[in-house]
Amino acid sequence: MLHSVNSFRAAILNSAVLDHWATLHEWIGTRLPPALVRAWRMDPRELVIALDPTSDKATVTDAGLAAPEYFRQTASRFGPLLSATIRVPVQRCLLRDLTLPRAAATRIGSILDIDMERTTPFRSKDVYSGWSIIDPGHTGLTLAVRQYIVKRHVLDRIVSEVAAAGIPLKSIAVVDALGRELDVDLLRPAERRRARITVWLARAAIAGAIASALGSACYVTLAIQNLQSALVLADSDIQQVTTRVQSLRRTQNEAATSAALMLQPRQMKIERTSALALWNELSQRLPDSTWITEFRVDDGNVQIDGQSTNASELVSLLNASKQFTNVAFASPVTRDPQRSVERFQIKFQINTGRLNSARITPEASK
């Protein structure tokens, strides 16, 4: 009992694998050029068996009446090169036209089987069935589909004789009244068999493709590993260069700091000397009746604030100095009536060099 259950499960699994494999072949076939698909579907030697339109009599296109003996002789002669196709006249088929949503295009076969069992006395296991799209160029939301149905008992004798001769049954085609094959195959994908040499070539091609893919994967893996090694070396070199640059920058900063410290006393001396020279020049030019309350130097620009009994004469006095240029009042002169003095702001530029910002407030008025 357990052996029977395991055999049944194995058969179901094998059927499912074959169905998926055949579906994959069909899907690939829809994405290849039609000429290539037709060439692929041909076997080196094909035995074509034609079913009579009015009876179960069958004939072989090149041998007259079909007989098991002829099948055996043909199989012995061509061996792995041979496969068989049974041609069924469309008159022997039950035709059903249905309209399905375009969204169901990938499940048309299973939908038709379910609808057939629901609306007809036939069961899927009792018939050969296939389908085609009536108007392939239609782009609407629906598909017009025609289903072709033939009872299995009509073809059972021929199928059995072909199988007994060891000939793979490649397809059960449907032909019109003029003998032209329609784009319909009544065999289920899992039931289709190809000539053994075609199967071997297909397996060899698949094995070659797998080997090529594995070789490419190994090559890519090695290339990636080489790139990773190169990146590791590059990172190491970059780290060394970065460390060296940082060391040079620290040395440069230290040198700049040392140079600034060395120049600081000299700069302070220059600034003090310039400020004192400017103060001495002002003391010599301004009269005794003038007091400076604020003295500002900013990069060669000087402004003095103060009081004087006669502020209007101060501009001309300072203009007489060769060290001063552009002497002018920075604001209007105002008079302090209580002290009888005039408040002034005078600005000018010096010719003795650039001076850093300084602010001097004299402790004593002149």
Side-chain angles (χ1 to χ4, degrees):
M1 180 66 179
L2 181 59
H3 177 71
S4 299
V5 172
N6 290 336
S7 300
F8 178 69
R9 289 177 177 175
I12 293 177
L13 178 61
N14 182 61
S15 177
V17 170
L18 290 175
D19 278 335
H20 283 86
W21 180 252
T23 303
L24 177 61
H25 272 246
E26 291 296 319
W27 181 85
I28 294 175
T30 60
R31 271 120 182 112
L32 296 176
L36 184 60
V37 173
R38 286 193 297 269
W40 169 249
R41 288 178 176 174
M42 292 179 62
D43 284 329
R45 179 70 181 182
E46 295 186 2
L47 179 65
V48 179
I49 306 169
L51 184 68
D52 188 82
T54 58
S55 69
D56 293 345
K57 180 180 177 181
T59 58
V60 181
T61 55
D62 59 354
L65 181 64
E69 183 61 29
Y70 176 77
F71 291 158
R72 286 193 293 271
Q73 292 178 0
T74 306
S76 174
R77 180 180 177 185
F78 295 102
L81 303 177
L82 184 65
S83 65
T85 295
I86 299 176
R87 288 185 171 184
V88 179
V90 69
Q91 301 93 310
R92 303 295 301 273
C93 300
L94 170 65
L95 305 182
R96 300 174 65 235
D97 291 343
L98 297 92
T99 301
L100 301 178
R102 184 172 292 274
T106 58
R107 298 177 289 110
I108 292 178
S110 58
I111 292 175
L112 292 178
D113 287 344
I114 293 172
D115 185 75
M116 178 183 64
E117 294 192 359
R118 185 177 61 86
T119 60
T120 70
F122 303 124
R123 295 294 176 263
S124 298
K125 62 183 181 64
D126 299 328
V127 298
Y128 293 106
S129 67
W131 57 271
S132 66
I133 297 176
I134 298 175
D135 185 9
H138 180 64
T139 58
L141 298 178
T142 59
L143 290 173
V145 180
R146 176 167 294 167
Q147 187 179 24
Y148 300 79
I149 303 172
V150 175
K151 291 183 178 181
R152 283 187 176 262
H153 73 79
V154 175
L155 301 175
D156 279 347
R157 180 181 61 82
I158 304 173
V159 172
S160 299
E161 292 175 353
V162 170
I167 303 174
L169 182 58
K170 187 179 74 171
S171 67
I172 299 178
V174 178
V175 296
D176 61 13
L178 300 178
R180 296 173 300 190
E181 287 192 9
L182 305 179
D183 189 19
V184 181
D185 193 341
L186 302 183
L187 271 182
R188 296 182 180 277
E191 296 176 319
R192 298 168 191 168
R193 300 292 183 267
R194 299 294 301 276
R196 289 191 295 277
I197 190 169
T198 306
V199 176
W200 297 338
L201 290 174
R203 290 174 179 175
I206 293 172
I210 293 174
S212 177
L214 291 176
S216 300
C218 292
Y219 175 79
V220 171
T221 301
L222 291 176
I224 291 174
Q225 290 177 350
N226 291 335
L227 287 176
Q228 289 176 342
S229 300
L231 288 175
V232 170
L233 293 176
D235 288 340
S236 177
D237 293 341
I238 291 173
Q239 184 64 33
Q240 292 178 4
V241 172
T242 302
T243 303
R244 179 60 177 168
V245 170
Q246 291 175 349
S247 176
L248 291 175
R249 285 181 178 175
R250 285 195 298 268
T251 303
Q252 183 181 9
N253 292 336
E254 291 173 357
T257 302
S258 300
L261 292 176
M262 292 174 64
L263 291 175
Q264 186 173 6
R266 176 176 174 84
Q267 185 67 25
M268 293 175 63
K269 182 178 180 181
I270 293 174
E271 291 176 358
R272 291 176 181 175
T273 302
S274 300
L276 291 174
L278 178 61
W279 182 253
N280 289 335
E281 182 68 17
L282 287 173
S283 300
Q284 293 176 8
R285 295 290 174 180
L286 296 177
D288 293 340
S289 59
T290 299
W291 294 267
I292 296 177
T293 58
E294 193 168 357
F295 174 60
R296 293 189 294 274
V297 180
D298 185 7
D299 196 19
N301 297 312
V302 182
Q303 179 174 318
I304 57 175
D305 299 352
Q307 302 173 2
S308 177
T309 57
N310 187 9
S312 59
E313 66 174 355
L314 300 181
V315 173
S316 59
L317 293 175
L318 294 178
N319 265 328
S321 173
K322 295 181 180 181
Q323 297 186 19
F324 304 149
T325 60
N326 300 326
V327 181
F329 285 108
S331 63
V333 176
T334 59
R335 185 169 183 79
D336 185 353
Q338 294 181 354
R339 300 180 60 183
S340 299
V341 295
E342 295 175 343
R343 300 182 184 277
F344 66 87
Q345 289 184 336
I346 298 176
K347 61 182 180 178
F348 56 88
Q349 296 176 340
I350 58 176
N351 292 328
T352 56
R354 297 172 60 88
L355 296 174
N356 292 327
S357 298
R359 185 185 181 94
I360 303 175
T361 301
E363 298 179 357
S365 298
K366 182 179 177 181

